[in-house]
Structure formats: C-alpha cells, structure tokens
Amino acid sequence: MTISNEDDLTRLKEIGRIVAHTLEAMGKALEPGMTTSELDQIGRKLLEAAGARPAPELAYGFPGATCISVNEEIAHGIPGTRRIERGDLVNIDVSAEKNGFFADTGASFAVPPVTRSIERLCRDGRRAMWAGLRQVGAGKPVAGIGQAIGTFARKNGYSLVRNLASHGVGLSLHEEPTEIATWPDSSERRLMSDGLVFTVEPFLSLGAEWAEDGDDPWTLYSSPKAPTVQYEHTIVATRNGPLIVTMAG
C-alpha cells in the first residue's frame, strides 16, 4: 500500500492505535498462571470493542485473535491451554483490520524473574528494531534496514532469524513489498517510495538463525533452539523519515 491522501492515512493511524493499545494492555495483563488463551481473550475483547477484526483469523483462518509464542516458540503461536510461568519469554503479535485497513505490531515480554541476559535481549531487541526504523524514508534503499540491524546484531553478539521477514501491510495483512529482510541482503535493490506502508520486525536471538515448523500448521520454533525476541511496528516511509502508526501514545 502507498498512502496517497489524508483520509487513508487517518484510517491507517486509527487501526494502528487500536493494535498498539491492545498490545500494550495484553503486556500489562500478562502474569504467571494465566493461559495463553486467557491472554488472547483479553486482546480479542479489546479489538472487538474498538470495532476491529483480528487479522490472522480474518485473513488466514488462524485459531486465535492474536499470536502468542512462548520460549522455544518464536512466531505464530496458537493461544491455548499452555500456562505462562515465571521466567518465560512471551511474544505477543497483534494485527487487525478496521474499515478495510490493516496494521501489525508485536513485542516480547520477559516474565520475572529472568536472567540478565534475557533482560538485555529484550532491551536490545527494541534497539535492533529502532536501528532498522532509522533507515526508513522516501527514496532510501530497502537494503539499509537489514544492513543496520545486522550491524547492530554483530556488534552486540546476537544472531538474527533469517527466514522471517518484514512485509508490506495496509490494505491486507501481507502485501507488496514482500520479504523485506531484517538482516544484510546483498541482492536487495529496491527503494522506498513516498507513502509506502510496511513493517519493520527483526527477530533477534542468542543463537537462533532460522524458524522451523512444528507439529501444528502454525507455530514456528527457533533453530538452533535459543531465546529469541521480536519487536514490530507498522510504518509509513515519508520524506521526513518513518511515520510510525503503531505507537500506543
């Protein structure tokens, strides 16, 4: 999607705020003893109260309103009976649609008490995302995003999952431009056009380089097995840099 008028931008910002507030509320509600299904129901109620529809369910028939991935699960975890425990690393991915517009956001949460290395991983996961966001702007090379994130990861001793990419979003959950690498990709030649809508969502890890399928059709696991975090914003590329539409403030 390319934003071409104020009405479209207003609608994109509206759904962006909705998913951002939903993610923020789910993160605050997260506590040991609750099931991932209970956490998902909090997200569903908030989305529906705001007049939005859960995007994974709408677009792909995903069995949940949000994706909740715990520890070895790094993406597309199905909400269910799994109980969240102290020390868990939980990723929450919230995407939704309202009035024909989609936005997508996510974050990882460490459930105390956790080790200092996990605290640093969460902090640096956000820093890695921002390293990529700072490369966003009309006319800039798409490859700059992955190069900046890759430089950050290498300098700080992390690996990046290299088969879960950022993507276009706006009029559908996944659209052109597809496969925006959040790792260095020497084959990337595209430029960002003014008004282009997409996500920036690196998967920073303490050793994993790939996401692998599991026993169900959805959940993806780290390979090699290692703690992994994901942070994600939906943004619009502008002449003044990134316009982030999934901020809760």
Side-chain angles (χ1 to χ4, degrees):
M1 179 185 184
T2 300
I3 294 291
S4 59
N5 59 71
E6 282 298 319
D7 286 344
D8 285 355
L9 181 57
T10 296
R11 291 186 177 94
L12 184 66
K13 285 181 175 179
E14 180 184 17
I15 188 59
R17 284 192 299 271
I18 290 169
V19 296
H21 287 138
T22 300
L23 175 64
E24 181 181 60
M26 291 176 71
K28 289 179 178 178
L30 180 63
E31 63 181 9
M34 73 188 315
T35 66
T36 54
S37 179
E38 290 169 341
L39 184 59
D40 181 63
Q41 284 302 311
I42 293 171
R44 180 183 295 279
K45 289 177 181 178
L46 289 168
L47 292 174
E48 291 179 349
R53 296 187 292 176
E57 195 173 66
L58 176 66
Y60 301 115
F62 179 77
T66 65
C67 299
I68 302 175
S69 309
V70 183
N71 295 338
E72 72 281 359
E73 306 166 348
I74 60 172
H76 306 163
I78 300 172
T81 58
R82 181 169 184 167
R83 291 200 177 276
I84 295 165
E85 299 179 358
R86 290 161 61 89
D88 279 348
L89 185 58
V90 182
N91 178 265
I92 304 172
D93 196 310
V94 182
S95 55
E97 176 273 343
K98 184 175 183 180
N99 296 323
F101 290 80
F102 291 74
D104 192 358
T105 190
S108 296
F109 301 86
V111 183
V114 295
T115 64
R116 290 187 65 185
S117 65
I118 296 300
E119 290 178 349
R120 285 195 299 268
L121 177 63
C122 291
R123 178 200 67 192
D124 288 344
R126 291 189 183 276
R127 292 175 66 196
M129 176 187 64
W130 279 100
L133 287 169
R134 284 192 288 270
Q135 303 306 311
V136 172
K140 289 188 174 183
V142 170
I145 297 169
Q147 289 169 357
I149 295 170
T151 297
F152 175 87
R154 184 175 63 255
K155 285 183 175 179
N156 291 280
Y158 296 104
S159 61
L160 292 163
V161 174
R162 293 173 178 259
N163 61 336
L164 289 174
S166 301
H167 56 89
V169 67
L171 296 177
S172 61
L173 180 55
H174 294 96
E175 60 180 60
E176 294 290 337
T178 59
E179 298 298 315
I180 299 172
T182 52
W183 56 89
D185 180 5
S186 60
S187 68
E188 178 61 78
R189 297 288 185 267
R190 294 173 293 183
L191 299 177
M192 298 173 231
S193 58
D194 189 25
L196 187 66
V197 185
F198 59 97
T199 69
V200 172
E201 50 174 312
F203 286 77
L204 193 74
S205 181
L206 292 175
E209 296 185 348
W210 306 102
E212 289 192 347
D213 293 335
D215 295 331
D216 65 64
W218 301 101
T219 310
L220 297 175
Y221 296 82
S222 60
S223 178
K225 184 178 178 181
T228 303
V229 295
Q230 176 251 24
Y231 293 88
E232 174 184 15
H233 275 309
T234 294
I235 56 92
V236 182
T238 78
R239 294 182 179 90
N240 297 318
L243 172 60
I244 301 170
V245 300
T246 47
M247 298 287 275

